[in-house]
Amino acid sequence: MINHIHLIVEPPDEVARLEQFMKRLSGRQTQYVNRLEGRSGDLMGEPIQTDEYLLACCRYVELNPVRARMVADAGDYP
């Protein structure tokens, strides 16, 4: 997408490293977006707990360019 990103990541065995990565990434992204849009607040996601929710998240991410009318078919989005 041209105005946001979606991350679906599997945590490594050492979960603390993923938490540090996400904290730094979301902190920098939040600062950037808040500065750009003149607002304050958090930009956060939530952990994926089940296979069903993982599938729903993958569908959402894959179909996002279609819903945004950027492409007619999800396979057309690079």
Side-chain angles (χ1 to χ4, degrees):
M1 302 300 296
I2 59 172
N3 62 348
H4 66 278
I5 62 170
H6 295 275
L7 297 175
I8 297 177
V9 296
E10 182 176 357
D13 292 334
E14 192 178 327
V15 175
R17 289 175 46 201
L18 178 64
E19 290 173 2
Q20 290 172 341
F21 167 75
M22 293 304 296
K23 182 177 180 180
R24 292 182 87 184
L25 178 66
S26 69
R28 289 180 181 172
Q29 179 66 16
T30 300
Q31 289 175 0
Y32 172 76
V33 170
N34 285 344
R35 234 181 286 124
L36 187 68
E37 297 182 3
R39 64 184 190 124
S40 63
D42 293 332
L43 305 174
M44 294 298 295
E46 59 185 78
I48 297 172
Q49 302 284 338
T50 65
D51 289 342
E52 292 80 13
Y53 188 49
L54 173 60
L55 184 58
C57 290
C58 289
R59 279 189 197 121
Y60 177 83
V61 171
E62 292 294 321
L63 292 174
N64 207 327
V66 176
R67 286 190 203 100
R69 296 191 168 121
M70 297 171 72
V71 293
D73 183 76
D76 294 337
Y77 188 75

